[in-house]
Amino acid sequence: MLSGAAGVRWIMFLSVFDVFKIGVGPSSSHTMGPMSAARRFLDELVGANWPRASRAQPKALTASLHGSLAYTGIGHGSDRAVILGLAGHEPSSIDPDQMDAILETVRQSGQVSPEGHPSYRFRPAVDLELDRRTPLPGHPNGMQFAAWDADGQLVLRRIYYSIGGGFVVSADELEAMRSAPAEPQDVPWPFANARQMLDMARQSGLSIAAMKRANEEARMSRQALDRGLDAIWAAMSGCIDRGLVQDGQLPGGLKVRRRARAIHTQLAERWQRNEIDPLMANDWLSLFAMAVNEENAAGGRVVTAPTNGAAGVIPAVIRYAIQFNAGTGQGAIRDYLLTAAAIGGIIKHNASISGAEVGCQGEVGSASSMAAAGLCAIMGGTPEQVENAAEIALEHHLGMTCDPVGGLVQIPCIERNAFGAVKAVTAASLALKGDGTHAVPLDACVETMRQTGRDMSDKYKETSQAGLAVNVVAC
């Protein structure tokens, strides 16, 4: 597939489980990506696919973060993620409650001891560099890992790029993806853009969710697919629930206090009294999104949807549908996720979901577009109405910058997810009032986002060098 801002061509099938990945906050590209890259370096280190001297024994590791990872790495926990990855942990399985203890052990001992490896010297204060001077050529989110022998001779060096949504590729893979010709996907409905998706829906008489399901079931059983979808929703729902009961101050130094618990208490009291409030549905929707992104900011368990910075939009809209539409059952939730993933795949294929490439239009904008499509679908929308909903939501995020204050996924990110959810519901409602005919195709909107991201100054693409990041004093 094609990640337009970087010109990356993906040949692989983008599964719903590539779009939605269970991990930890606060960032898919800046936290989950570096952790996965570090773990991948460990795997390569014990592999046999690189030349080495017969007596070369890795004894020490070093790492450097470049580009956007260097500028906002501390606020996004990229440094912590690298340490945890080199200690042998993965985003999908690490216990968020144990991370601080693991980090302290590495800092005190000056070494990492991943399972299946010998211990390696790794002193975070010395061996981990945030290099703002030397961008790597492939992508704004570049990382370099190296292993050294006891005499200080280089044993292995690898470059990886975190290209958004938790996806990690090596420098060689990135080059191959850019130069490879497009190839047909080995699935029943291989749509690469919205026009093809609608053409196939008309030809087949299938919904977008049904086509996406058929594509997934070409690679796994229906039972495995449904179990996976249910696990994704369970993780999303659990994140909402945790966010609604947690209190206190978020980490990072901005002194941002969690608000979801207090708002939830107010809304729950009104709900129990059956008070009529014209803002109530909107308030619940915003609350659910904020609960997720407060959990994300705290480094909790979240699902990329399609990124961590935009993780609140899609689950908020599902929970909203469940609360205000009694007909939203497990089958509808699965269709919602499949439809949203189909739209997310189109956006990633033809533009980007990475804030470091195209700004927040690629993160919250994509999430809002996906959520709008999913909601429209489970409310009975035709494929044309679903595509219209996705377009409306994305159109009204075009040009949105990524300028996190202090490099933290807090201001404006938490509230921005609430607004993305509100826009998604509005877009779905507008689309359902029409017949699917509209002036701006989704494909044109996605291409506009790609071009806008290409033209946007790097200062506004997750580097915290402009916008709110420099006009709000970090306390």
Side-chain angles (χ1 to χ4, degrees):
M1 290 185 167
L2 180 69
S3 178
V8 179
R9 186 169 295 280
W10 293 79
I11 304 173
M12 65 181 221
F13 166 64
L14 191 67
S15 168
V16 62
F17 303 115
D18 294 319
V19 177
F20 300 121
K21 295 187 288 293
I22 300 173
V24 292
S27 172
S28 51
S29 60
H30 287 56
T31 312
M32 290 173 59
M35 193 185 303
S36 297
R39 176 57 190 263
R40 180 170 171 181
F41 180 69
L42 290 178
D43 293 341
E44 290 202 46
L45 200 56
V46 297
N49 295 327
W50 55 279
R52 69 187 86 185
S54 59
R55 296 184 179 178
Q57 296 295 325
K59 297 294 185 180
L61 307 178
T62 60
S64 58
L65 303 177
H66 302 260
S68 176
L69 293 178
Y71 278 104
T72 62
I74 298 298
H76 285 79
S78 304
D79 55 335
R80 292 164 53 92
V82 167
I83 299 168
L84 293 167
L86 291 178
H89 298 281
E90 299 183 14
S92 60
S93 58
I94 191 169
D95 182 350
D97 294 331
Q98 296 300 315
M99 291 193 297
D100 286 342
I102 297 168
L103 292 164
E104 186 59 25
T105 297
V106 174
R107 292 186 178 113
Q108 291 293 330
S109 66
Q111 64 181 19
V112 290
S113 302
E115 185 176 352
H117 291 254
S119 293
Y120 303 111
R121 187 187 71 192
F122 183 73
R123 304 154 298 175
V126 176
D127 298 322
L128 175 56
E129 179 185 9
L130 275 69
D131 185 353
R132 299 184 178 184
R133 303 178 305 278
T134 316
L136 297 178
H139 188 278
N141 294 333
M143 297 160 278
Q144 190 168 232
F145 295 88
W148 311 82
D149 67 15
D151 296 323
Q153 298 298 309
L154 180 66
V155 175
L156 178 67
R157 188 191 306 274
R158 286 287 185 266
I159 292 174
Y160 304 98
Y161 296 102
S162 180
I163 59 175
F167 290 91
V168 171
V169 295
S170 69
D172 290 342
E173 288 167 344
L174 186 67
E175 183 59 33
M177 288 156 59
R178 285 176 167 170
S179 59
E183 295 183 4
Q185 299 178 45
D186 185 21
V187 292
W189 309 106
F191 50 85
N193 55 48
R195 179 184 56 78
Q196 292 176 358
M197 178 183 72
L198 292 179
D199 286 346
M200 291 178 188
R202 294 186 192 102
Q203 294 165 12
S204 66
L206 296 174
S207 68
I208 293 168
M211 290 193 298
K212 182 64 175 167
R213 175 175 283 278
N215 288 347
E216 298 288 342
E217 290 179 2
R219 295 165 182 265
M220 68 181 71
S221 69
R222 171 158 295 206
Q223 293 76 16
L225 174 59
D226 286 344
R227 283 196 303 269
L229 293 171
D230 294 347
I232 292 296
W233 169 236
M236 289 178 170
S237 184
C239 186
I240 293 174
D241 292 339
R242 290 193 307 274
L244 293 178
V245 299
Q246 300 297 323
D247 205 355
Q249 189 170 287
L250 294 171
L254 290 182
K255 300 180 181 179
V256 173
R257 292 197 64 83
R258 290 179 182 253
R259 289 179 286 168
R261 178 176 175 176
I263 296 172
H264 180 241
T265 299
Q266 297 175 34
L267 292 179
E269 289 174 352
R270 293 185 207 165
W271 187 268
Q272 291 170 359
R273 293 195 298 264
N274 292 318
E275 288 186 5
I276 298 175
D277 183 345
L279 297 177
M280 181 168 281
N282 194 66
D283 288 343
W284 281 102
L285 178 61
S286 299
L287 168 66
F288 296 145
M290 292 175 62
V292 171
N293 282 85
E294 287 179 354
E295 275 296 291
N296 180 63
R301 176 76 61 209
V302 296
V303 178
T304 63
T307 67
N308 283 25
V313 177
I314 288 171
V317 173
I318 306 180
R319 182 66 75 86
Y320 164 86
I322 292 171
Q323 183 150 333
F324 290 93
N325 181 10
T328 306
Q330 200 68 24
I333 293 170
R334 293 168 184 166
D335 285 347
Y336 174 102
L337 292 172
L338 289 167
T339 305
I343 299 302
I346 287 171
I347 295 172
K348 185 170 179 60
H349 181 83
N350 297 290
S352 176
I353 59 170
S354 168
E357 283 188 298
V358 296
C360 202
Q361 59 176 352
E363 295 206 26
V364 172
S366 296
S368 186
S369 180
M370 294 162 66
L375 181 61
C376 184
I378 66 174
M379 295 296 290
T382 65
E384 289 78 13
Q385 289 172 318
V386 169
E387 184 262 359
N388 188 14
E391 186 280 325
I392 293 170
L394 183 60
E395 179 181 336
H396 296 289
H397 285 87
L398 291 176
M400 182 176 282
T401 61
C402 185
D403 52 352
V405 175
L408 299 165
V409 192
Q410 298 178 19
I411 303 173
C413 317
I414 295 171
E415 289 181 352
R416 187 167 284 175
N417 274 257
F419 277 81
V422 171
K423 287 183 181 180
V425 172
T426 302
S429 180
L430 287 173
L432 286 166
K433 302 299 186 295
D435 61 2
T437 303
H438 55 289
V440 181
L442 176 59
D443 289 333
C445 193
V446 172
E447 172 60 15
T448 301
M449 184 182 77
R450 187 193 70 81
Q451 294 176 6
T452 303
R454 178 194 62 196
D455 296 339
M456 188 183 291
S457 167
D458 287 345
K459 293 189 300 181
Y460 296 100
K461 293 191 282 191
E462 212 165 357
T463 59
S464 291
Q465 293 182 291
L468 285 176
V470 300
N471 287 298
V472 175
V473 177
C475 300

